[in-house]
Amino acid sequence: MIRAFYVLASVVTALLALALYVAKTEAQSAQQRIARMENGIISELSQISQLENELAYLERPERLEALSRVHLQLRPLSPEQDMTFAQLSGQHLGSNGAVLAGKARP
Amino acid sequence: MAKAGRYTIPLADVERIDAAELFSISGEQRKAVRAARPRLMLMALIFAFGYSVLMVRSISLTIFDHQSVSVKSRVVAAIRVPRAKLTDRNGGLLASSIETYSAYITRANIRNAERLANQLSAIKGLASEEILRARLEGKKGRARIGHRLTPAIRDAIFSLGLPGMKFVPELTRYYPRGQFAAHVLGWVNADGKGPAGAERAFEEKLLDKNTKTLALSLDTRVQFALESELQTAMEEFRPEAALGIITNIKTGEVLAMAGRPTFSPNAPGKASPRERRNRAATDRYELGSVFKPLTLAMGFDQGLIEPDELFDVVRPLVVSTKQINDMHRSRHKMSVREILVKSSNKGAALIALKVGGKKQRQYLADFGLLDAAKIELKESARPYMSTRQWRAVKTATIGYGHGITVTPLAFVQAMGAVANGGHLVPLTLLARPPGYRPEGRDVISPKAAKTVVGIMREVVTRGTGKNANVEGYDVAGKTGSAEKLDPKTGRYAKDRNISSFVAIFPAYNPQYLVFILLDEPKGDVHTSGWETAGWNAAPVAGRVISRIGPVLLPLAKRTNLMASNVEKNP
């Protein structure tokens, strides 16, 4: 009787130890996957940061202004160009883009 | 024969032997076993203890301690970047922390330092061949190839396949726009701390793990316009230095602040202290005539003066032993309007004397001019006055902007109160939400403020500030041309001026303030040799307003402001 009990207890203990081992191994695998994902996130965030900085560098106002002048022939808006449609009718544009009053010609 | 240990027993006798008797010990043997028993017990205990330790450790490693067997995340470039980003009010990136690398090579792995230096110097972004060779020479230790290297440079070095190479990741503070808004941003030193600017002012917030981005009040478009015009002014008028400040009068937000000479926050060590200094916050000036609107504001608020009241500026004015003169002597009495439009020192002194020293001091305190400007910048300096005693001569000279030195930021804060209906609000470098109205205090009455702004408009339409007039924006302003005090002689130098111009627009419903200061500008043929503010600071302010006006106050908005002004003042 006692011997049977000992045998049963030993088997149960062994099974429990095995179950614990399996659970622990799976948990470790999951942790490793998480750590790899975290490293991946860090890497992506670092790249995003690099790109943001590159974008800010490319968007420097002096660079955009120079490109606008060369490729689009645009100039900074002057106060004279800011007007309503009603004001625009009957107006003429001068050589510098400014609106000339009345019927004056450039 | 059967053998039992070292005893040999004849086979014939084996059956007759009792096993118990055979293996029993007695006599000397028993004594020996008894003597050895304690030692055996001790050995058993030692082994049992050892195995117990191993068992416990095995269980511990298996069940509890998992970190030593898992893949560790990268340490330095953690998920959370330690310093938050700085942006302008519209989200444009101004400063951020990026991952860079320091590259080292073990000297023992270098076969030919000269050849290696030649190889490495070909990579863009690394030092010159001479510098690299000097670093690589030697037999021991590690040589640093470079630091703050971008991933591209690191990859280029890595692709050379050099043995003994080591790359150490690090975080570097990077300002992608270079010199842009350098004085506002400040920089970060090798210890990771910000010694100046926003980096210092908001150090705690930037290092808070909950802060990802901090939006400053700057508007890139306005900042760029200001920086461009200051640069042009440096070339045109060749001053020793120049600075500009643009604020939202209602909220106190600093939309732009710039100075020349300037520096790149990416390489602060290469700049001199003169270039790194934010003069708007740290330098104190006797601003001269730009102070006169404040004197008028005091007089109007006290009810002591009227716009058309006449003051005798014809007779010489001597206060104590000091004779006060005007740049252009007047042959007739001047009204209060004329005193500001023609910028009469005598007239301003007379008004100040009428206000009185005690009241003047109180007003200066209320305007915030007896203290550092209320802004987050830690380097914002306190004013300086030559003497603590407030005698009549001091009252008179302060009336036209001498006898007290203040920082441009403090002055802008005070003038902002005049523009804001008499209500002073603190300046701020942080972006505020739309409709934000900060807490402040009333310094003068709205009526007094409106009267002063109205007269400042006349300064621009028919006075010394004509070159600042911009069609459609109703610019109000005041020029200031103050002789600088020569510290060696203790006298004012006639050929060294501080030229400044303060502009408020639109005058009928003030929204924005522009302040330009040129330190020792030079005259030329275009200014007819004049070095006064009407010829340099005023036109610079006018050009700035021309550029920022369409951005900040498009026609539709101006129309609304005009309409609301008419509603309030039918």
Side-chain angles (χ1 to χ4, degrees):
Chain A
M1 183 70 179
I2 297 289
R3 190 175 291 179
F5 174 75
Y6 284 154
V7 167
L8 183 65
S10 301
V11 168
V12 167
T13 304
L15 285 173
L16 285 173
L18 182 66
L20 183 63
Y21 176 75
V22 168
K24 181 61 189 160
T25 306
E26 282 179 5
Q28 280 180 4
S29 296
Q31 280 161 6
Q32 287 176 1
R33 282 199 303 276
I34 289 169
R36 274 194 291 271
M37 285 171 69
E38 283 181 350
N39 279 337
I41 291 171
I42 292 169
S43 183
E44 291 298 322
L45 286 174
S46 176
Q47 286 193 32
I48 290 170
S49 180
Q50 302 271 356
L51 289 170
E52 283 175 343
N53 277 278
E54 199 172 329
L55 182 64
Y57 179 77
L58 293 171
E59 281 182 341
R60 292 183 334 273
E62 63 270 25
R63 179 175 179 271
L64 295 180
E65 188 187 53
L67 289 173
S68 301
R69 283 179 188 270
V70 170
H71 297 292
L72 302 173
Q73 284 82 52
L74 289 176
R75 300 286 182 271
L77 190 64
S78 66
E80 298 81 32
Q81 293 173 286
D82 191 8
M83 59 175 56
T84 62
F85 281 116
Q87 289 172 311
L88 192 60
S89 60
Q91 306 292 337
H92 302 279
L93 293 178
S95 59
N96 63 349
V99 174
L100 303 175
K103 293 181 183 175
R105 298 285 178 193
Chain B
M1 301 284 258
K3 286 191 178 176
R6 58 181 177 167
Y7 299 102
T8 304
I9 305 167
L11 278 172
D13 296 333
V14 169
E15 283 182 10
R16 290 197 294 271
I17 295 172
D18 181 2
E21 190 184 333
L22 180 67
F23 291 103
S24 66
I25 53 173
S26 59
E28 290 298 319
Q29 289 173 4
R30 186 182 286 273
K31 278 186 190 171
V33 167
R34 277 196 188 139
R37 191 167 284 159
R39 283 176 236 162
L40 287 170
M41 288 293 288
L42 181 63
M43 290 301 296
L45 280 171
I46 290 171
F47 275 110
F49 176 73
Y51 281 124
S52 299
V53 167
L54 284 173
M55 196 165 61
V56 165
R57 184 64 186 141
S58 300
I59 292 170
S60 167
L61 279 173
T62 306
I63 296 175
F64 299 113
D65 186 1
H66 50 82
Q67 282 193 5
S68 60
V69 299
S70 69
V71 175
K72 283 204 167 83
S73 297
R74 281 206 320 246
V75 176
V76 174
I79 289 181
R80 269 191 234 96
V81 175
R83 207 170 181 91
K85 294 180 209 171
L86 283 170
T87 68
D88 79 340
R89 62 188 305 108
N90 300 312
L93 185 64
L94 296 173
S96 77
S97 299
I98 57 170
E99 191 174 80
T100 58
Y101 300 87
S102 285
Y104 298 89
I105 188 166
T106 309
R107 288 199 178 90
N109 290 106
I110 302 172
R111 289 183 189 173
N112 188 326
E114 195 172 327
R115 194 162 64 116
L116 180 58
N118 180 266
Q119 257 185 312
L120 290 170
S121 63
I123 298 174
K124 194 178 173 187
L126 290 181
S128 66
E129 190 177 336
E130 291 77 25
I131 294 172
L132 284 167
R133 196 185 318 128
R135 287 181 191 166
L136 295 171
E137 278 167 359
K139 297 285 181 194
K140 293 181 185 175
R142 291 192 304 182
R144 194 186 74 183
I145 293 172
H147 74 291
R148 299 179 69 177
L149 306 176
T150 63
I153 299 174
R154 180 206 61 183
D155 291 345
I157 299 171
F158 188 77
S159 65
L160 294 176
L162 301 167
M165 277 300 309
K166 186 179 170 68
F167 296 100
V168 179
E170 57 196 13
L171 280 171
T172 299
R173 195 65 164 167
Y174 181 60
Y175 304 86
R177 297 186 178 177
Q179 295 183 347
F180 190 78
H183 292 113
V184 176
L185 297 174
W187 68 94
V188 173
N189 61 21
D191 297 328
K193 293 197 187 302
E199 295 282 14
R200 183 181 174 196
F202 304 114
E203 184 102 59
E204 210 174 299
K205 264 189 193 157
L206 291 170
L207 292 174
D208 184 353
K209 61 180 181 181
N210 296 317
T211 307
K212 296 283 184 289
T213 303
L214 190 65
L216 299 180
S217 56
L218 299 183
D219 186 318
T220 291
R221 304 164 298 176
V222 179
Q223 179 76 21
F224 176 58
L226 179 64
E227 299 227 21
S228 296
E229 294 303 333
L230 285 181
Q231 189 59 40
T232 303
M234 289 295 286
E235 292 157 12
E236 195 175 344
F237 304 114
R238 293 160 288 128
E240 293 298 308
L243 66 90
I245 307 169
I246 301 174
T247 64
N248 180 320
I249 290 162
K250 304 294 183 193
T251 63
E253 290 168 290
V254 175
L255 302 177
M257 180 160 55
R260 291 291 184 273
T262 187
F263 69 104
S264 171
N266 289 320
K270 291 185 180 174
S272 66
R274 179 175 170 266
E275 290 165 333
R276 289 198 300 260
R277 200 164 85 231
N278 182 1
R279 287 174 167 76
T282 60
D283 285 20
R284 295 168 292 202
Y285 301 92
E286 278 187 309
L287 291 173
S289 298
V290 285
F291 238 72
K292 288 171 183 165
L294 295 174
T295 301
L296 264 68
M298 296 175 199
F300 284 124
D301 190 54
Q302 286 289 298
L304 296 171
I305 58 174
E306 293 294 329
D308 297 312
E309 181 181 342
L310 293 177
F311 281 81
D312 186 357
V313 297
V314 180
R315 286 191 301 169
L317 178 62
V318 177
V319 183
S320 296
T321 55
K322 181 168 178 61
Q323 175 148 0
I324 297 172
N325 300 310
D326 285 339
M327 186 182 279
H328 303 289
R329 194 179 293 177
S330 176
R331 292 181 184 174
H332 54 82
K333 291 182 181 178
M334 280 191 189
S335 66
V336 171
R337 284 182 206 280
E338 293 298 310
I339 286 170
L340 197 66
V341 171
K342 300 280 172 65
S343 200
S344 166
N345 291 343
K346 283 191 211 174
L350 288 169
I351 294 172
L353 289 168
K354 202 168 183 182
V355 171
K358 195 175 171 187
K359 282 283 181 194
Q360 185 189 52
R361 185 176 190 150
Q362 184 58 51
Y363 274 114
L364 289 177
D366 291 342
F367 275 122
L369 289 168
L370 297 187
D371 207 347
K374 289 278 181 286
I375 191 169
E376 297 90 350
L377 291 174
K378 298 281 191 272
E379 58 264 32
S380 184
R382 292 177 60 86
Y384 174 76
M385 281 181 284
S386 55
T387 172
R388 290 192 182 277
Q389 290 176 319
W390 213 285
R391 295 201 178 116
V393 64
K394 185 168 179 174
T395 302
T397 53
I398 288 178
Y400 55 91
H402 284 272
I404 179 172
T405 57
V406 299
T407 63
L409 274 176
F411 174 72
V412 161
Q413 183 178 259
M415 276 308 301
V418 174
N420 193 25
H423 187 73
L424 181 120
V425 298
L427 298 176
T428 180
L429 278 178
L430 290 175
R432 301 299 189 189
Y436 172 80
R437 287 294 179 263
E439 280 189 35
R441 59 172 182 265
D442 292 328
V443 181
I444 56 174
S445 66
K447 186 183 172 191
K450 190 179 173 185
T451 307
V452 172
V453 172
I455 300 176
M456 288 174 73
R457 174 66 181 143
E458 292 184 53
V459 171
V460 174
T461 56
R462 62 184 185 91
T464 55
K466 288 200 203 79
N467 286 327
N469 201 11
V470 180
E471 191 69 34
Y473 289 91
D474 265 48
V475 178
K478 182 70 189 80
T479 51
S481 304
E483 290 169 353
K484 282 176 78 170
L485 193 66
D486 189 335
K488 291 176 189 170
T489 63
R491 294 185 177 194
Y492 288 101
K494 290 195 181 304
D495 58 342
R496 295 168 63 192
N497 284 338
I498 296 291
S499 280
S500 56
F501 189 82
V502 60
I504 297 163
F505 69 99
Y508 50 80
N509 196 337
Q511 302 293 309
Y512 302 102
L513 184 148
V514 175
F515 180 70
I516 302 293
L517 185 146
L518 304 176
D519 190 343
E520 296 186 36
K522 314 292 183 294
D524 62 9
V525 290
H526 301 291
T527 66
S528 305
W530 288 100
E531 298 169 349
T532 48
W535 291 98
N536 41 56
V540 172
R543 291 200 292 257
V544 168
I545 294 171
S546 293
R547 292 179 68 161
I548 67 175
V551 171
L552 295 176
L553 277 182
L555 181 61
K557 199 170 173 185
R558 291 203 308 273
T559 308
N560 286 340
L561 285 174
M562 224 182 288
S564 72
N565 185 54
V566 168
E567 277 175 22
K568 286 178 193 170
N569 305 286

